[in-house]
Amino acid sequence: MDTGGRLVAGSHNRNEFVLINADEIGRVKSVRELSGQICQICGDEVEITEDGEPFVACNECAFPVCRPCYEYERREGNQACPQCKTRYKRIKGSPRVDGDEEEDGIDDLENEFDFRSRDTQHTAEAILSSRLNVGRGPNANASGVTMPSDHSSSLNPEIPLLTYGQEDAEISPDRHALIIPPFVGHGKRIHPVPFPDSSMSLQPRSMDPKKDLAVYGYGSVAWKDRMEEWKKKQNDKLQMVKHLSENGGGNYDGDDADDPDLPKMDEGRQPLSRKLPIPSGKINPYRMIIVLRLVILGFFFHYRILHPVQNAYGLWLTSIVCEIWFAISWILDQFPKWYPIERETYLDRLSLRYEKEGKPSELADLDIFVSTVDPMKEPPLITANTVLSILAVDYPVDKVSCYVSDDGAAMLTFEALSETSEFARKWVPFCKKFNIEPRAPEWYFAQKIDYLKDKVHPTFVRERRAMKREYEEFKVRINGLVAMAQKVPEDGWTMQDGTPWPGNNLRDHPGMIQVFLGHDGVRDVEGNMLPRLVYVSREKRPGFDHHKKAGAMNSLVRVSAVLSNAPYLLNVDCDHYINNSKALREAMCFMMDPISGKKVCYVQFPQRFDGIDRHDRYSNRNVVFFDINMKGLDGIQGPIYVGTGCVFRRQALYGYDAPVKEKPPGKTCNCWPKWCCLCCGSRKNKKIKTRKEKKKKPKHWEASTQIHALENIEEGIEDNEKSSLMSQMKFEKKFGQSPVFIASTLLENGGIHQEASSASLLKEAIHVISCGYEDKTEWGKEVGWIYGSVTEDILTGFKMHCHGWRSVYCMPKKPAFKGSAPINLSDRLHQVLRWALGSVEILLSKHCPIWYGYGCGLKWLERFNYINAVVYPLTSIPLIAYCTLPAVCLLTGNFIVPEISNYAAIVFMALFISIAATSILEMQWGRVQIDDLWRNEQFWVIGGVSSHLFALFQGLLKVLAGVNTNFTVTSKAGDDGEFSELYLFKWTSLLIPPMTLLIINIIGVAVGVSDAINNGYESWGPLFGKLFFAFWVIVHLYPFLKGLMGKQDRLPTIIVVWSILLASIFSLLWVRINPFLSKDGPVLEVCGLDCDD
């Protein structure tokens, strides 16, 4: 079957598979598996421990040493790490030696003194000849022990062996000293562990006669001197390499790349990232202020509750309820920021570890998802720039695959992507040749900087001008496609070869896949490979719930698993381009860290935006959330997923639990007999342990059983057929009926079968994006993006954290991603409405963090944050009531507090000071400007009294009454002038509540001031509190008022009419049902003046 990398369309349910304009087969290569660590003493692989982690002998520098070498060094050597000279600590399962300290949690009574029970023959074999490692080669027997063969195993030339791997050419054969080690075959490594055995054939080994045999024993004193000499040679060669690279511009040809003494660059073995805690001088006062603020809140509520206002009891009670809710919301928001941290990555260490010169890159493969729906609201030019920035990213091209999801099945998007793939052949080599930033052409050419700065290449100016002309022509072609798409033909769109476009019917079309660029496909203008670029449009049929963006992302997960199956995924919105070409490497510093990366489910980057007005009127940048709240969460269990700019671990998306690290047993007394220590353990602890084991074992047992079941089915083995079929059914119930996809889920490090043809893979890819594939499976429930809310991002991240995973917040100095945000007031409110509606849906679902996920891996402070993320729309009701109170107080002459005493004044002042101090300290450790904090506070009120209120009612209607509400996709920034949309007015009902609050508070201020003028001097004192309350509301709503007036500085007529109407109705109702007038009529008092005189 010929595919030729052309468009493939079809429907698995209808047994359709169409190849459009096919000519040849495009091959898909498999992923190279990552190799393990190598012991730097004997050259064998470092084994994997029982908990799935690589064996680490030294906790200080993690110098790779296998366990037999580690135990031999502790028993016979100087008991110190060869690299950092730190004394080795005893690890569980290893015997004690002289000098071991008593340490918590590592007592192992069965092994620590039991030298006799340890198989010395096995130990010698493990050190001298072979190791019990799986996958050591064809010489492994059934028991797992590698036997000597006739073929000498080649020694790793990068390892500075203590013995020689071959005869010295400078020494004549008759002058060689020979050593005959036991259990050593051809080419095996030599260790000084004498163990004679006449049954084994002995093989002589050549050694340098100039050196004493004791020199080869690394347990001797000479070992230390030799290591120092070797490290000195490394440093000298490292300096030489640096000197040549600096002076010769990289002319060092690397002739000695295989030299065993070439510097190993110890930097490459260090951690790839580190935590940077907030300085104690900033965080400790911050925590003290939080505690002090809690105490002050206690005194505040004590005073408020015990001092009601008798003549305005309704006002007082309303204010108390609102203030209690505000206090609860503050606690939920504040305490997740108790442990803020920052992180630092080391990209040079990542390259040293996984990108060795002269060898293929060992960096992990990455699948990148770009989602788009409507090309009329999400311009194709913006999507094209995002795709171009991905294709030009600083990452190995054979390890990057870009999948574009067109959920609108628009031919405009397809044709624009075709033009983009052609332009990428010129753009990608230009970016990598001159190392330009950013690599989205629209934003690169729009930079108002001196592009000649730091560019000394003589051809740069000429090629930049030529590339700019190419991009302008590319824009003309894209804009031409957009203009053509404005008018749809009656018979629908037709492709260039005359084939009708399969997506002419938006709600009823087959699935479509087009591979534009691939590893063996089109190359760039310089003949280099390009990353894979795939167009995907999932099948849609009437009567199916397609779950909007979450369903589209799950389709991409399955398609990518079939075609490339990278172990890591990155998802970005179509308007979020890669601003930092090293962003993927930043994420890999966390994901591929051999020590701490195993439990990381995703790496979240902050969102940064272009095209926002200088004052950020509507807090589009959301700096407080991304620079303060997310740093706080990173110190607990990690940040929440925000929908874009996030690198995932594929296995975490499949609903698997995080790897569990067994806790070491409690400390026991070494002076008591073994039977005494065993008897001291309570039965209760044994029951708890047994219960935990029962919980953990079924999952691992089930996974292993399922793996063998798949193998048996594929090979046609009929043994134990019933259990195999049951295991396969469990997999199909979870992942769907695709054997290719199920097989890909079992590969933790990714990769696909090399034998599979591209045609068969594309046919299977069409199958996994069919509209009925997810029926009766766990997709959207436990697997992939979770359904049930329009804000699928919060729900998906929450489920991962409940599985015990942790996430990481990465904030590189140069923003990793940048996007566009709706700067128009109406669009911004609709965006906030969508977010709040999703939170209400989660609040009313079974996945609500208030009652879901107890007893799992979710930490309490992380739960507080998720609770706050779903209950914040409820704040709209008390917020509207609280913003209405000032106007009511001014109109009625009453107030929410009685006459303020000195004690009350002190409490109120202390509360205001603590609020200000908390904000100031947050600005310090979060490095946030005061105007960003103030804009965030203002829009919290604006969004709270408008979008959050509507979202609350819409969510209740949707969940309780089944009335679905649609949200509008926010439009992106236009090209009709800078910040043109900022002043564009768009009518929406969301504008009514805040405008009404503004008018009634302004009327209240006017009435209050008039009454004070009429009543004399004494009435001004009580008025100040009410005026301050009203001005607090007006100042917070000022950006909203400014947005309504736009550039013309006048209010739209419809807003004025609606607001005056509502304010009049409210005033009339108040006069009619004023609860503060006495029911017996007005109270008449004697004025005290004798009118008869």
Side-chain angles (χ1 to χ4, degrees):
M1 182 181 293
D2 250 348
T3 60
R6 304 300 294 172
L7 177 65
V8 179
S11 172
H12 179 77
N13 298 332
R14 301 187 180 187
N15 197 21
E16 298 174 355
F17 189 70
V18 183
L19 306 178
I20 300 175
N21 194 17
D23 44 26
E24 65 178 355
I25 296 178
R27 296 184 179 274
V28 183
K29 291 186 177 179
S30 64
V31 186
R32 184 181 297 273
E33 295 184 357
L34 301 177
S35 59
Q37 287 186 318
I38 303 299
C39 175
Q40 301 300 295
I41 293 179
C42 68
D44 287 342
E45 291 185 3
V46 177
E47 63 269 26
I48 303 298
T49 60
E50 294 179 357
D51 56 0
E53 299 288 338
F55 176 77
V56 179
C58 178
N59 292 326
E60 297 295 330
C61 66
F63 184 70
V65 174
C66 64
R67 186 160 196 141
C69 293
Y70 157 79
E71 293 183 352
Y72 183 85
E73 179 65 22
R74 278 172 43 84
R75 187 173 65 252
E76 304 291 342
N78 58 9
Q79 304 179 0
C81 174
Q83 176 174 270
C84 65
K85 307 305 178 187
T86 303
R87 187 184 186 278
Y88 277 138
K89 296 182 178 180
R90 189 177 69 83
I91 298 176
K92 181 180 179 181
S94 299
R96 286 188 179 272
V97 297
D98 293 338
D100 277 350
E101 299 176 355
E102 292 292 339
E103 297 171 354
D104 292 336
I106 63 169
D107 293 278
D108 186 14
L109 298 181
E110 297 179 359
N111 299 294
E112 59 184 0
F113 297 116
D114 191 7
F115 289 100
R116 293 174 298 176
S117 64
R118 306 183 70 83
D119 189 354
T120 56
Q121 179 176 349
H122 173 74
T123 304
E125 275 189 312
I127 297 178
L128 297 178
S129 60
S130 62
R131 300 273 298 284
L132 294 177
N133 281 339
V134 178
R136 294 289 292 164
N139 300 328
N141 59 12
S143 63
V145 180
T146 306
M147 301 301 294
S149 65
D150 295 335
H151 303 282
S152 299
S153 60
S154 60
L155 299 177
N156 191 341
E158 292 191 2
I159 301 172
L161 295 179
L162 304 180
T163 58
Y164 294 98
Q166 58 186 0
E167 295 183 1
D168 195 337
E170 299 179 359
I171 304 174
S172 60
D174 59 339
R175 291 179 55 86
H176 274 100
L178 300 180
I179 174 174
I180 303 176
F183 301 103
V184 177
H186 297 277
K188 297 301 179 181
R189 295 153 178 81
I190 299 172
H191 291 263
V193 181
F195 189 84
D197 190 346
S198 59
S199 64
M200 299 296 294
S201 60
L202 304 180
Q203 176 69 23
R205 185 63 180 270
S206 303
M207 302 190 67
D208 191 346
K210 298 178 183 179
K211 299 182 180 180
D212 185 74
L213 292 180
V215 175
Y216 293 95
Y218 59 84
S220 63
V221 178
W223 160 250
K224 182 176 181 180
D225 298 335
R226 179 163 183 179
M227 284 300 299
E228 294 294 335
E229 181 183 359
W230 174 68
K231 291 183 69 175
K232 184 176 182 299
K233 288 182 180 180
Q234 281 190 313
N235 293 331
D236 293 341
K237 287 199 174 187
L238 181 59
Q239 294 300 325
M240 180 186 67
V241 172
K242 289 183 177 180
H243 178 72
L244 289 175
S245 61
E246 291 173 358
N247 296 341
N251 294 328
Y252 181 70
D253 53 5
D255 292 337
D256 298 330
D258 294 333
D259 186 357
D261 289 333
L262 189 68
K264 295 290 292 182
M265 306 214 179
D266 294 344
E267 187 105 2
R269 303 190 194 101
Q270 302 301 319
L272 303 180
S273 64
R274 66 165 179 162
K275 294 180 182 179
L276 298 176
I278 306 299
S280 58
K282 295 180 179 179
I283 195 62
N284 288 339
Y286 176 68
R287 292 169 178 168
M288 292 173 59
I289 290 295
I290 292 175
V291 175
L292 182 62
R293 185 170 169 180
L294 276 175
V295 175
I296 295 173
L297 272 176
F299 285 108
F300 173 78
F301 284 115
H302 178 267
Y303 172 80
R304 293 282 284 121
I305 293 174
L306 296 183
H307 294 79
V309 181
Q310 299 298 336
N311 60 340
Y313 193 83
L315 288 177
W316 171 82
L317 184 60
T318 302
S319 65
I320 286 293
V321 173
C322 294
E323 289 163 358
I324 291 175
W325 178 258
F326 294 152
I328 295 174
S329 299
W330 172 76
I331 291 173
L332 293 175
D333 178 71
Q334 187 67 65
F335 278 93
K337 296 182 281 190
W338 189 263
Y339 300 104
I341 62 169
E342 296 178 342
R343 294 183 185 269
E344 184 179 47
T345 56
Y346 302 102
L347 300 181
D348 51 347
R349 294 179 184 177
L350 181 74
S351 297
L352 288 173
R353 185 186 291 267
Y354 296 108
E355 292 182 302
K356 298 177 182 177
E357 188 175 358
K359 295 184 179 181
S361 173
E362 296 179 358
L363 289 173
D365 288 34
L366 200 68
D367 291 338
I368 304 177
F369 299 162
V370 181
S371 57
T372 182
V373 180
D374 188 351
M376 294 303 171
K377 295 179 179 178
E378 299 166 323
L381 188 61
I382 292 180
T383 305
N385 273 270
T386 300
V387 172
L388 289 170
S389 69
I390 293 172
L391 298 178
V393 72
D394 183 8
Y395 206 77
V397 293
D398 60 327
K399 296 182 179 294
V400 175
S401 299
C402 178
Y403 294 84
V404 180
S405 170
D406 179 18
D407 218 30
M411 188 175 177
L412 173 58
T413 303
F414 178 83
E415 293 292 343
L417 208 59
S418 178
E419 292 286 349
T420 303
S421 64
E422 184 64 27
F423 179 71
R425 299 178 60 245
K426 306 171 185 177
W427 174 251
V428 173
F430 172 75
C431 294
K432 295 187 175 181
K433 181 178 180 180
F434 299 106
N435 196 26
I436 66 169
E437 297 282 353
R439 298 188 177 181
E442 182 70 23
W443 303 105
Y444 170 69
F445 291 119
Q447 291 181 113
K448 297 179 180 179
I449 60 174
D450 183 9
Y451 63 86
L452 299 177
K453 185 178 181 181
D454 300 330
K455 299 293 182 181
V456 295
H457 203 288
T459 62
F460 171 69
V461 177
R462 183 176 66 255
E463 292 194 25
R464 184 185 186 278
R465 290 173 179 171
M467 185 54 61
K468 189 172 184 179
R469 287 194 297 270
E470 292 282 354
Y471 178 64
E472 293 298 331
E473 294 175 0
F474 170 71
K475 288 176 64 176
V476 170
R477 293 194 295 270
I478 296 295
N479 292 331
L481 292 173
V482 175
M484 186 186 305
Q486 299 294 331
K487 187 177 180 181
V488 181
E490 294 182 0
D491 298 332
W493 297 106
T494 304
M495 302 183 69
Q496 293 180 357
D497 60 352
T499 307
W501 173 245
N504 279 324
N505 189 339
L506 180 62
R507 291 181 172 83
D508 188 2
H509 63 82
M512 294 176 283
I513 297 177
Q514 165 75 60
V515 181
F516 284 106
L517 301 174
H519 299 307
D520 293 331
V522 181
R523 295 176 178 261
D524 64 25
V525 293
E526 296 183 358
N528 300 320
M529 291 185 357
L530 288 168
R532 181 187 282 115
L533 176 61
V534 184
Y535 169 88
V536 179
S537 180
R538 57 180 172 150
E539 181 185 15
K540 287 191 175 181
R541 302 297 181 190
F544 288 90
D545 188 358
H546 301 290
H547 301 289
K548 298 179 181 177
K549 181 182 176 181
M553 298 306 296
N554 284 337
S555 296
L556 287 183
V557 171
R558 297 191 293 271
V559 168
S560 62
V562 171
L563 297 182
S564 54
N565 195 32
Y568 303 106
L569 313 172
L570 164 66
N571 89 289
V572 292
D573 289 341
C574 65
D575 61 327
H576 271 71
Y577 64 90
I578 297 180
N579 181 66
N580 183 351
S581 62
K582 297 186 182 297
L584 304 186
R585 295 176 179 269
E586 296 274 357
M588 290 301 107
C589 285
F590 300 104
M591 288 294 194
M592 298 186 68
D593 192 294
I595 305 300
S596 60
K598 299 290 186 180
K599 293 193 67 174
V600 176
C601 58
Y602 61 82
V603 178
Q604 178 66 62
F605 291 88
Q607 292 185 19
R608 304 300 188 213
F609 300 100
D610 288 315
I612 297 178
D613 60 299
R614 182 168 59 91
H615 299 291
D616 192 14
R617 180 185 294 176
Y618 307 122
S619 189
N620 283 284
R621 293 190 178 94
N622 219 349
V623 178
V624 174
F625 174 76
F626 286 113
D627 289 13
I628 295 180
N629 294 66
M630 296 287 266
K631 287 181 182 178
L633 293 175
D634 199 15
I636 307 170
Q637 197 175 347
I640 63 175
Y641 168 44
V642 296
T644 183
C646 187
V647 177
F648 288 95
R649 184 182 301 274
R650 188 183 285 270
Q651 293 294 315
L653 276 172
Y654 288 159
Y656 293 126
D657 289 336
V660 179
K661 199 168 186 179
E662 292 185 2
K663 295 183 179 180
K667 186 174 180 179
T668 58
C669 181
N670 296 327
C671 60
W672 290 94
K674 183 177 178 180
W675 60 268
C676 183
C677 296
L678 293 176
C679 293
C680 290
S682 64
R683 295 183 179 179
K684 183 178 179 181
N685 293 335
K686 290 182 180 179
K687 288 182 180 180
I688 294 175
K689 183 177 180 182
T690 305
R691 196 179 303 121
K692 288 183 178 179
E693 288 178 355
K694 285 182 179 179
K695 278 186 177 180
K696 295 175 184 176
K697 284 183 178 179
K699 191 168 188 69
H700 300 294
W701 172 84
E702 180 182 345
S704 62
T705 305
Q706 290 160 346
I707 294 173
H708 293 301
L710 285 177
E711 293 175 353
N712 294 343
I713 292 170
E714 291 177 359
E715 297 175 5
I717 298 177
E718 297 182 358
D719 297 339
N720 203 9
E721 182 178 356
K722 185 176 180 180
S723 61
S724 299
L725 291 176
M726 288 297 294
S727 299
Q728 186 191 20
M729 290 175 60
K730 290 180 181 178
F731 258 115
E732 291 180 349
K733 185 177 180 180
K734 182 173 184 179
F735 295 116
Q737 297 183 356
S738 171
V740 176
F741 177 75
I742 291 175
S744 71
T745 63
L746 304 176
L747 302 175
E748 184 176 356
N749 294 325
I752 59 175
H753 296 288
Q754 294 182 352
E755 297 81 8
S757 65
S758 60
S760 62
L761 291 178
L762 287 172
K763 189 172 182 179
E764 193 66 24
I766 290 292
H767 175 202
V768 298
I769 61 173
S770 58
C771 55
Y773 181 83
E774 296 181 354
D775 291 348
K776 298 180 181 179
T777 66
E778 294 187 7
W779 282 100
K781 303 172 185 175
E782 297 293 334
V783 179
W785 270 257
I786 307 301
Y787 303 150
S789 171
V790 294
T791 53
E792 70 288 330
D793 44 8
I794 295 179
L795 202 51
T796 303
F798 173 65
K799 292 282 286 187
M800 290 185 186
H801 284 142
C802 287
H803 281 287
W805 296 93
R806 74 150 294 126
S807 54
V808 169
Y809 193 51
C810 181
M811 290 185 64
K813 294 181 180 179
K814 182 179 178 62
F817 303 91
K818 280 191 175 182
S820 57
I823 61 175
N824 178 265
L825 176 60
S826 300
D827 290 338
R828 173 69 167 143
L829 290 177
H830 273 287
Q831 184 188 55
V832 176
L833 170 66
R834 174 183 175 273
W835 296 343
L837 177 60
S839 296
V840 174
E841 290 174 343
I842 298 174
L843 177 65
L844 301 177
S845 71
K846 70 174 184 178
H847 292 119
C848 178
I850 298 177
W851 52 73
Y852 181 84
Y854 287 94
C856 62
L858 189 66
K859 296 184 178 180
W860 275 100
L861 288 180
E862 193 80 11
R863 183 180 296 277
F864 274 23
N865 173 73
Y866 277 111
I867 292 175
N868 183 55
V870 300
V871 302
Y872 75 89
L874 299 178
T875 309
S876 59
I877 295 177
L879 185 60
I880 289 180
Y882 212 68
C883 291
T884 308
L885 287 178
V888 176
C889 292
L890 288 167
L891 291 173
T892 61
N894 298 296
F895 200 38
I896 58 175
V897 295
E899 186 175 349
I900 299 179
S901 62
N902 293 334
Y903 170 77
I906 294 174
V907 170
F908 289 170
M909 289 297 295
L911 181 61
F912 291 142
I913 293 173
S914 66
I915 293 173
T918 305
S919 301
I920 292 172
L921 292 174
E922 282 184 351
M923 287 190 296
Q924 283 187 348
W925 62 257
R927 292 191 289 275
V928 174
Q929 302 297 324
I930 188 171
D931 54 341
D932 292 321
L933 191 70
W934 174 238
R935 293 300 184 195
N936 182 79
E937 183 74 15
Q938 286 180 313
F939 197 80
W940 175 76
V941 175
I942 296 172
V945 300
S946 57
S947 299
H948 298 173
L949 179 66
F950 279 76
L952 182 60
F953 287 111
Q954 288 183 8
L956 291 173
L957 288 174
K958 182 177 181 179
V959 175
L960 301 181
V963 179
N964 290 322
T965 55
N966 296 322
F967 64 90
T968 306
V969 178
T970 54
S971 59
K972 311 304 177 187
D975 297 325
D976 302 327
E978 189 176 19
F979 311 134
S980 58
E981 286 208 7
L982 180 65
Y983 308 105
L984 180 64
F985 173 75
K986 297 178 182 180
W987 163 250
T988 173
S989 55
L990 298 177
L991 303 176
I992 297 177
M995 193 62 221
T996 303
L997 288 175
L998 260 177
I999 290 181
I1000 63 174
N1001 276 279
I1002 292 174
I1003 293 175
V1005 169
V1007 171
V1009 172
S1010 301
D1011 289 344
I1013 293 174
N1014 292 333
N1015 294 333
Y1017 175 78
E1018 293 182 355
S1019 61
W1020 283 97
L1023 180 65
F1024 281 123
K1026 305 172 188 177
L1027 289 178
F1028 174 81
F1029 203 4
F1031 278 120
W1032 179 88
V1033 177
I1034 295 173
V1035 170
H1036 277 78
L1037 295 176
Y1038 174 72
F1040 173 82
L1041 179 61
K1042 200 172 181 180
L1044 291 181
M1045 292 188 293
K1047 249 182 179 178
Q1048 295 77 22
D1049 292 334
R1050 65 182 182 83
L1051 288 177
T1053 306
I1054 189 170
I1055 294 293
V1056 176
V1057 171
W1058 268 102
S1059 302
I1060 292 178
L1061 178 62
L1062 290 177
S1064 302
I1065 293 173
F1066 175 81
S1067 301
L1068 292 173
L1069 288 174
W1070 182 263
V1071 172
R1072 179 69 182 85
I1073 58 171
N1074 185 358
F1076 303 105
L1077 278 178
S1078 175
K1079 301 300 181 183
D1080 299 330
V1083 179
L1084 302 177
E1085 296 182 357
V1086 180
C1087 63
L1089 298 176
D1090 189 0
C1091 299
D1092 296 335
D1093 293 340

